[in-house]
């Protein structure tokens, strides 16, 4: 995938979307990088990018990895990439890092920890700054997944920022969601309750050579047993691993395969992807509305409505209806 140095600047600055998509399809990492940069920056050509990538949607298996900081997400991702490459899969990785509240930048440490695959042409790794977006992902992650699908990746691994119980957005993006836990990182029941328990398709107890691993597995299995499931519904798998030594990775891959088979058999894969598309459409529509409302702040309509609400002349719901009518909504 090498190319004369004279062509590099043109790709890095190019806005020729058909050419970029064609080059990305051919495996050019610079074209993939340029497309994701356009996505992340919210460039005005983003609708063109989405239109060009639409024919390739749904061709990659999307696997999300989430869990608290320090459970070994990046190490597990690194080893999963190795296992998937051994199967001959082309792999894309989106590693979301926390961003600075001052500059919006990120350390991008996940990419540093995946240097084993830096020279592999069958692997594309992109670190993305969360830029303050809640839920463990970046706002641009869904479209970045589409770029990697368009680039011919068979599997896309999405590694979230270290998350807590409420940050479960990855489940709406992934076909299969892995929740990683580790012994000795606090009460296991606290770690898996509420939202995190509900989004997991596969639990991975990493660092399973530590004291307390058996208890962590038992706690998770006990929580799973308490859940109500109808006939044929998926029961989350619990897998032990020591990712730093490459142990248990084949078991994780087997659990992902098993879940994939269940998704296809029960038509759940189609349902999840349609729900994902609905969420994307809604997010784009809300973004457009927010932009239009923001433009109204420069005029007189919104301040006038605000003054009437503050004076008690108008209630906020009626004011919102008036504002929406101004937007044509």
């Amino acid at each position: 995938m090498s190319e004369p140095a004279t062509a590099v600047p043109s790709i890095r600055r190019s806005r020729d979307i058909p050419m970029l998509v064609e080059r990305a399809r051919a495996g050019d990492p610079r074209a993939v990088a340029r497309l994701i940069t356009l996505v992340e920056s919210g460039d005005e050509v983003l609708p063109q990018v989405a239109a060009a990538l639409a024919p390739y949607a749904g061709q990659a298996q999307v696997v999300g990895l989430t869990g608290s900081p320090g459970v070994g997400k990046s190490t597990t991702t690194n080893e999963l990439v190795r296992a998937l490459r051994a199967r001959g899969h082309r792999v894309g990785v989106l590693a979301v890092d926390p961003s600075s509240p001052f500059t919006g930048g990120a350390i991008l440490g996940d990419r540093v920890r995946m240097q084993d695959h830096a020279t592999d042409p069958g692997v594309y790794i992109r670190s993305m700054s969360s830029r303050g977006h809640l839920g463990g992902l970046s706002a641009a992650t869904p479209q970045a997944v589409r770029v990697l699908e368009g680039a011919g990746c068979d599997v896309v691994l999405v590694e979230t920022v270290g998350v807590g119980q409420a940050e479960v957005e990855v489940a709406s993006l992934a076909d299969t969601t892995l929740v990683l836990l580790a012994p000795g990182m606090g009460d296991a029941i606290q770690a898996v309750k509420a939202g995190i328990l509900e989004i997991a398709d596969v639990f991975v107890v990493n660092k399973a050579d530590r004291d307390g691993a058996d208890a962590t597995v038992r706690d998770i299995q006990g929580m799973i047993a308490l859940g109500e499931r109808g006939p044929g519904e998926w029961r989350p798998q619990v897998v032990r691993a020591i990712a730093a030594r490459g142990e248990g990775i084949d078991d994780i891959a087997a659990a992902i395969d098993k879940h994939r088979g269940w998704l296809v058999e029960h038509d759940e894969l189609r349902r999840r992807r349609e729900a994902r598309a609905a969420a994307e459409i809604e997010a784009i529509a809300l973004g457009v509305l927010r932009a239009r409302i923001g433009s109204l702040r420069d005029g007189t309509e919104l301040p006038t409505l605000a003054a009437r609400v503050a004076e008690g002349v108008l209630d906020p719901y009626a004011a919102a209806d008036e504002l929406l009518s101004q937007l044509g909504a």
Side-chain angles (χ1 to χ4, degrees):
M1 296 197 299
S2 61
E3 190 176 8
T6 55
V8 174
S10 63
I11 288 183
R12 286 179 176 170
R13 293 194 295 265
S14 177
R15 300 167 69 81
D16 182 346
I17 304 307
M19 180 273 289
L20 288 172
V21 171
E22 181 181 353
R23 296 292 294 273
R25 294 287 295 169
D28 188 330
R30 289 167 298 186
V32 178
R34 177 58 178 160
L35 287 169
I36 294 181
T37 296
L38 291 171
V39 164
E40 281 195 284
S41 63
D43 194 280
E44 62 183 16
V45 300
L46 186 52
Q48 298 176 42
V49 175
L53 293 172
Y56 312 110
Q59 296 184 11
Q61 181 180 7
V62 183
V63 178
L65 295 92
T66 190
S68 302
V71 296
K73 294 188 299 297
S74 294
T75 305
T76 302
T77 300
N78 188 62
E79 293 303 315
L80 270 177
V81 170
R82 196 186 311 281
L84 292 166
R85 289 295 292 143
R87 296 181 176 187
H89 292 315
R90 184 174 175 81
V91 183
V93 178
L94 296 174
V96 183
D97 280 289
S99 56
S100 164
F102 303 105
T103 66
I107 294 175
L108 309 183
D110 293 316
R111 195 169 191 171
V112 173
R113 288 190 287 270
M114 295 183 207
Q115 285 301 303
D116 292 353
H117 310 291
T119 59
D120 185 343
V123 179
Y124 184 87
I125 300 171
R126 175 75 172 223
S127 291
M128 303 177 71
S129 168
S130 65
R131 302 188 182 185
H133 184 76
L134 300 178
L137 299 178
S138 160
T141 307
Q143 291 302 319
V145 168
R146 290 188 179 275
V147 172
L148 293 180
E149 285 185 313
C153 290
D154 302 301
V155 181
V156 176
L157 302 176
V158 180
E159 180 192 332
T160 74
V161 172
V163 299
Q165 294 174 27
E167 294 169 300
V168 294
E169 189 176 319
V170 68
S172 66
L173 178 66
D175 300 325
T176 299
T177 301
L178 310 186
V179 172
L180 276 69
L181 303 121
M185 300 198 66
D187 183 357
I189 296 300
Q190 291 295 320
V192 301
K193 72 179 184 181
I196 287 290
L197 175 66
E198 294 162 4
I199 70 165
D201 298 306
V202 178
F203 284 103
V204 178
V205 178
N206 193 29
K207 307 181 182 182
D209 53 338
R210 289 185 175 181
D211 292 339
D214 291 341
T216 301
V217 170
R218 285 195 303 270
D219 287 341
I220 298 170
Q221 290 174 334
M223 292 295 290
I224 292 172
L226 293 174
E228 295 183 3
R229 292 178 183 80
E233 288 190 32
W234 176 255
R235 180 184 177 87
Q237 307 287 290
V238 183
V239 180
R240 300 170 187 254
I242 308 173
R245 299 207 298 250
E247 297 178 13
I249 302 303
D250 289 341
D251 293 334
I252 297 174
I256 294 171
D257 290 341
K258 185 175 181 179
H259 184 247
R260 171 80 174 191
W262 177 85
L263 289 172
V264 173
E265 180 183 352
H266 291 82
D267 200 30
E268 181 69 11
L269 185 61
R270 177 194 58 79
R271 191 200 67 77
R272 288 193 180 196
R273 290 184 171 180
E274 287 181 357
R276 183 192 312 168
E280 283 186 72
I281 295 167
E282 182 181 7
I284 292 169
L286 288 174
V288 171
L289 283 175
R290 288 192 188 99
R292 291 182 183 176
I293 291 173
S295 68
L296 289 178
R297 291 182 182 276
D298 299 328
T300 61
E301 184 64 25
L302 185 56
T304 300
L305 288 171
R308 292 171 66 192
V309 171
E311 293 168 2
V313 176
L314 191 67
D315 71 84
Y317 286 93
D321 286 338
E322 285 194 33
L323 184 63
L324 289 172
S325 68
Q326 294 291 324
L327 297 173

